[in-house]
Amino acid sequence: PDPRHVEVQVLADAHGNVVHLFERDCSTQRRHQKVLEEAPAPTITEEVRKAVTSAAVALTAEVGYENAGTVEFLLDSATGEAYFLEMNTRLQVEHPVTELAVAVNGEHPDLVALQLRVAAGEPLGFRQDDVELVGHAIEARVYAEDSFGGFLPQAGTAVQVAWPRGYRVRVDQALESGQVVSTAYDPMLGKVIASGPDRESARKTLVDALDETAILGLTTNAGFL
C-alpha cells in the first residue's frame, strides 16, 4: 500500500569487475512513468542500502553481465523488505542524478564514457572502495502533458523555449523555440537536474530552476513540478 521504487546503478566490465554506484529513488510516478528521481534514496536505512546494492552486484556478477545496468527493487515501507523487480540492461533517463551525487576517485563519473570503455573491452579502472556519495541530486522530467487533465500527452509548437542556467543546475534537452512537438513520440521534452551538498539544498535549487523553465505554445508539466 505504501511502496517505494528504488534502483541500483551497476557497472561491469569483461575482466570480472562489478561495482555499484549506489541507488536512486524513483517513486514519484504517473501513468507508469517516472517524474522525479533522486540519488541517494532519502527513504531507506543504511541496512536497506547495503542489502539492495550488494544484491544488485551479486546478480550482475552471477549472470556475467558486461555494461552499465540498473537493478530495480520494490520496497515495502512498513517492513523495509526489498523485492526484485527487473534489470534494465542499459543506461536510464535518470542517470544524471547518479553522476552528480557520486564521486569515483574524487570526481563525478561520466557513465556514458564508462559504458564505452566497457564496450571497448577495457577494465573499469576503479574498485568499489573508490566510489562514495558526495551530495544529493534530484531530476525532474519536463513533459508535454496536461498535469491537471489526466496527464494526457499534448502537442503543438514550442513558440518560445527557455531552459534554466546556473550553478548546480544541469539540463539535458534538445528542444528549441519554433520546434513542433507531436504525439508520435514520448512526451518528455527535457530533464532539469539540480544538485547540492544535501537534499534540501538540491530541492531548493530545483524549484528555482523550474521557475526559470518556460515553454510557451503548448501545455507542459513545468508548473506542476
Side-chain angles (χ1 to χ4, degrees), residues 19-30:
V19 297
H20 71 78
L21 282 77
F22 292 95
E23 81 291 338
R24 301 183 285 258
D25 186 302
C26 307
S27 302
T28 307
Q29 304 179 13
R30 58 91 186 99

Side-chain angles (χ1 to χ4, degrees), residues 108-132:
H108 292 298
D110 182 335
L111 295 182
V112 175
L114 289 170
Q115 185 174 244
L116 292 171
R117 183 182 299 175
V118 168
E122 300 177 16
L124 282 173
F126 62 91
R127 299 174 299 177
Q128 191 64 64
D129 290 345
D130 300 320
V131 183
E132 61 179 339

Side-chain angles (χ1 to χ4, degrees), residues 181-205:
V181 176
S182 79
T183 56
Y185 303 99
D186 185 280
M188 186 171 64
L189 303 175
K191 307 178 293 184
V192 178
I193 311 106
S195 61
D198 52 51
R199 190 186 188 212
E200 182 62 10
S201 61
R203 186 191 68 81
K204 289 181 176 178
T205 299

Side-chain angles (χ1 to χ4, degrees), residues 30-65:
R30 58 91 186 99
R31 300 177 71 221
H32 307 294
Q33 289 292 320
K34 300 166 184 173
V35 179
L36 295 171
E37 303 106 348
E38 54 185 304
T43 56
I44 63 175
T45 63
E46 189 61 35
E47 288 74 23
V48 173
R49 171 173 289 124
K50 290 179 180 178
V52 294
T53 53
S54 61
V57 169
L59 168 65
T60 305
E62 177 67 23
V63 299
Y65 184 74

Side-chain angles (χ1 to χ4, degrees), residues 3 24 60 68 77 92 98 101 124 139 144 174 207 215:
R24 301 183 285 258
T60 305
S77 298
Q92 303 226 125
T98 294
L124 282 173
E139 172 180 296
V207 170
I215 301 171

